[in-house]
Amino acid sequence: MIASGPRPVAPFSHAVEADGWVFVTGQMPTDPAAPDAPLPEGVEAQTRRVMENLKLVLGGIGLTLENVTFVRIYLTQFERDYAAMNATYQTYFEPGKLPGRTTVGVTALAVGALVEIDLVARRP
C-alpha cells in the first residue's frame, strides 16, 4: 500500500511486485486528498484523475509511467467516451513510446466511475 495513494474501494493492495514486474491495481477517479468528494465530471476529467492516481502509486514504489509495459482500460460508456478518453490518456506518454493496451466496455464500475485503469510495469 502506498501511504499517499487513493483509498481503496475494495480489499486490495495498490501494487504487487514479483521478479521486477509490478502489477498496479485498477485505479478509480477518486481524489486521494478527499476520498469522499464527488467524482470529477466527464470522462476526460476522470481519466486525468485516474492517471494521476496511477502516477502516485508508481511514484510510491520508485517508478514512473515510463516503466509501464501494458495498460487495461475499462469504460462504462465505450462508444460515447472512447475518443475523449484516448485524447486525454495519450498525453501521459511520450509519442512513439506507448505501452501495449486493451480497452473494454463494461456495464458498471465501482463508485459509479466512467473509467478505471490498471497497468503492468517493469522495474529496470
Side-chain angles (χ1 to χ4, degrees):
M1 295 301 294
I2 307 305
S4 63
R7 181 176 69 196
V9 298
F12 60 73
S13 297
H14 284 125
V16 176
E17 185 168 353
D19 296 324
W21 291 99
V22 178
F23 302 88
V24 177
T25 299
Q27 295 298 305
M28 307 309 297
T30 55
D31 184 344
D36 296 318
L39 298 181
E41 283 285 325
V43 74
E44 296 96 336
Q46 288 195 19
T47 301
R48 276 192 297 280
R49 179 73 262 159
V50 169
M51 293 301 293
E52 292 301 321
N53 288 347
L54 289 165
K55 286 172 52 177
L56 262 173
V57 172
L58 287 169
I61 55 174
L63 298 175
T64 69
L65 289 173
E66 291 180 8
N67 301 106
V68 174
T69 60
F70 194 82
V71 174
R72 279 179 296 259
I73 301 173
Y74 308 90
L75 293 170
T76 59
Q77 299 291 322
F78 191 92
E79 290 184 15
R80 181 192 74 191
D81 291 342
Y82 185 72
M85 178 278 300
N86 275 325
T88 302
Y89 167 85
Q90 70 184 354
T91 66
Y92 284 85
F93 297 96
E94 186 177 329
K97 292 191 175 187
L98 296 168
R101 191 182 101 180
T102 298
T103 305
V104 295
V106 297
T107 59
L109 292 168
V111 301
L114 299 173
V115 60
E116 178 176 352
I117 303 174
D118 67 34
L119 58 79
V120 177
R122 179 80 169 147
R123 191 171 294 282

